[in-house]
Amino acid sequence: MAGTTDTIVLVGFMGAGKSSVGRILARRLGRCFVETDDMITAREGRTIPEIFADKGEAHFRRLEEDAVGLLALKTGDIIATGGGLPCLEGRPAALRSLGTVIWLSGDFDTLYERAQRSGERPMLAGRSREEAERLYRAREPFYRQADLTVDTTALGPDQVAAQILSALAARERAAR
Ligand code: S3P
């Protein structure tokens, strides 16, 4: 049963607001907030751009796989995943087995602009806008397998968090 006490897993493309929204949800629900990117950087002792530069994307994806294994040991946390983490055969189902998966969607232009504004992102460095959009389109079918979707295009993080909380409360009522 999905509800406000389950683990919540946020998925979506870079720029979707997974970290900001996750932090707000954790505060509102009194839960721990976990980011798979932080699990990886803490374990490796290096930043994400350093990991990509030194060992490449394939190595980073293996670290994400390890992180997913560790997430299975947690209950009730709010988890923000890296933008590429759900995008592997079988991964959406693995995430759904952890709790309620929520896709923070949005139109590509908006997400791309936000992603350009904040942080260094190796998956966008050296990719044209068109290439980044192709990556987004290829990832959509994976994100779409979430339990819930919130379109973040015209919303700020507080509004997205409020929509998630009311959707979860409605699901909880329906399941009673
Ligand atoms: C990635 C997204 C990043 C981070 C890494 C790879 C991706 O996380 O995991 O740079 O493949 O889309 P955000 O979605 O938080 O930017």
Side-chain angles (χ1 to χ4, degrees), residues 12-15 18-19 35-37 48 52 57 60-61 64 81-85 120-123 135 139 143:
F13 201 64
M14 296 166 273
K18 302 176 295 279
S19 308
E35 290 203 72
T36 57
D37 280 354
I48 303 282
F52 269 77
E57 184 184 349
F60 177 75
R61 298 302 168 200
E64 285 193 318
T81 58
L85 184 141
E120 206 185 322
R121 291 186 160 94
M123 291 300 288
L135 179 67
R139 287 177 169 187
Y143 299 144

Side-chain angles (χ1 to χ4, degrees), residues 10-27:
L10 301 176
V11 302
F13 201 64
M14 296 166 273
K18 302 176 295 279
S19 308
S20 332
V21 171
R23 254 181 233 111
I24 296 168
L25 285 177
R27 213 167 43 233

